[in-house]
Amino acid sequence: MAILSPSILAADAMRLGEDIQGIKNNGCRWVHVDVMDGLFVPNLSFGYSTVKAIRGITDLVLDVHLMIDRPIRYVDDFCKAGADYLTIHVEADTAENTMAALERIRAHGVKPGIVVKPKTPAEAIIPFLEKCDMVLVMTVEPGFGGQKFMADMMPKVKQLRQLLDQVNPSCHLEVDGGVDLTNCQLCKDSGSDVLVAGSAYFKAADKPFFVQELEK
């Protein structure tokens, strides 16, 4: 069974607390928080103060995705703010700093993860797979919501699932970007067990049905 992690990037900023409560009421166990710094990606979104505020109002699993430059500078803050999973981009820093950041995340008792953008090959994250509790494959270019799903990322998902089955079989494999009811089965068939949906979830006329269909 898959896990849906609705992305609050597509939520109503004026009703964020209500939308997060709705995520739980509609049957979800996770919520996805996209953090953008305007440098690593050309947009700004949430910071660790938002994560802390969300932690104060929900017991949902906080799946925090850092789209920021040199994340090692901020992982302590996001861990202390209440993240359950904290994923960082392999493209955002040196291999040495990336490894150090993953280790620092785990030292806080938070589950670390690594992320790859569409143009980054799976091989780039092989050195980090054993250190992770989650691997995230972007199926859009990071930085903006509402983009079209890139089905040509599925071979990468399959490749990473095979690699993880060899070295870290309990690691989650997440897909983020344009996921909806028309392509979620393809993601699951390719080996993903955590699916991020933003626009598709929040625009769904029947959200409980959307959650059930995506997670089955």
Side-chain angles (χ1 to χ4, degrees), residues 86 98-106 110-114 125-135 164 167-168 171:
L86 190 60
T98 298
M99 187 68 77
L102 293 171
E103 292 172 350
R104 191 179 293 180
I105 293 166
R106 190 173 297 284
V110 176
K111 296 176 180 178
I114 196 80
I125 62 170
I126 289 176
F128 310 105
L129 294 182
E130 293 183 60
K131 297 287 185 179
C132 293
D133 286 301
M134 184 130 73
V135 169
L164 286 169
V167 302
N168 190 1
C171 183

Side-chain angles (χ1 to χ4, degrees), residues 51-63:
V51 174
K52 184 177 181 180
I54 295 170
R55 179 78 291 160
I57 63 168
T58 188
D59 60 358
L60 289 168
V61 173
L62 296 190
D63 168 21

Side-chain angles (χ1 to χ4, degrees), residues 74 85 136 216:
Y74 298 109
Y85 287 83
L136 169 54
K216 71 181 182 181

Side-chain angles (χ1 to χ4, degrees), residues 67-216:
M67 288 177 269
I68 64 176
D69 186 57
R70 291 171 290 155
I72 194 170
R73 299 174 296 160
Y74 298 109
V75 294
D76 295 318
D77 294 318
F78 282 98
C79 289
K80 292 173 184 176
D84 292 298
Y85 287 83
L86 190 60
T87 54
I88 62 175
H89 273 264
V90 69
E91 305 92 353
D93 208 339
T94 65
E96 181 181 22
N97 282 346
T98 298
M99 187 68 77
L102 293 171
E103 292 172 350
R104 191 179 293 180
I105 293 166
R106 190 173 297 284
H108 281 281
V110 176
K111 296 176 180 178
I114 196 80
V115 191
V116 284
K117 297 198 292 185
K119 293 179 183 177
T120 303
E123 288 76 12
I125 62 170
I126 289 176
F128 310 105
L129 294 182
E130 293 183 60
K131 297 287 185 179
C132 293
D133 286 301
M134 184 130 73
V135 169
L136 169 54
V137 177
M138 295 299 299
T139 46
V140 297
E141 288 295 336
F144 298 91
Q147 297 182 67
K148 185 177 179 181
F149 176 79
M150 298 170 68
D152 57 349
M153 292 298 106
M154 291 303 101
K156 184 191 295 186
V157 175
K158 290 180 180 179
Q159 181 183 357
L160 284 167
R161 183 71 268 168
Q162 292 171 354
L163 290 168
L164 286 169
D165 286 345
Q166 295 171 17
V167 302
N168 190 1
S170 65
C171 183
H172 286 299
L173 182 54
E174 185 174 45
V175 167
D176 180 4
V179 175
D180 58 24
L181 294 182
T182 69
N183 55 45
C184 63
Q185 193 58 52
L186 175 61
C187 296
K188 290 182 279 189
D189 290 344
S190 297
S192 174
D193 66 321
V194 181
L195 305 177
V196 177
S199 299
Y201 166 80
F202 282 103
K203 291 179 180 178
D206 186 339
K207 291 181 176 60
F209 175 79
F210 182 92
V211 174
Q212 292 169 11
E213 286 296 300
L214 196 142
E215 290 198 338
K216 71 181 182 181

Side-chain angles (χ1 to χ4, degrees), residues 6-17 19-20 23 31-39 41 43-55 62-69 74 77-78 81 86 143-145 176 196 198 202:
S7 170
I8 59 169
L9 192 64
D12 183 342
M14 298 298 292
R15 301 175 63 252
L16 187 55
D19 280 349
I20 289 170
I23 287 170
V31 60
H32 190 81
V33 184
D34 286 307
V35 177
M36 305 179 189
D37 65 354
L39 183 61
V41 293
N43 209 342
L44 291 167
S45 62
F46 311 107
Y48 53 82
S49 60
T50 304
V51 174
K52 184 177 181 180
I54 295 170
R55 179 78 291 160
L62 296 190
D63 168 21
V64 181
H65 172 197
L66 299 186
M67 288 177 269
I68 64 176
D69 186 57
Y74 298 109
D77 294 318
F78 282 98
L86 190 60
F144 298 91
D176 180 4
V196 177
F202 282 103

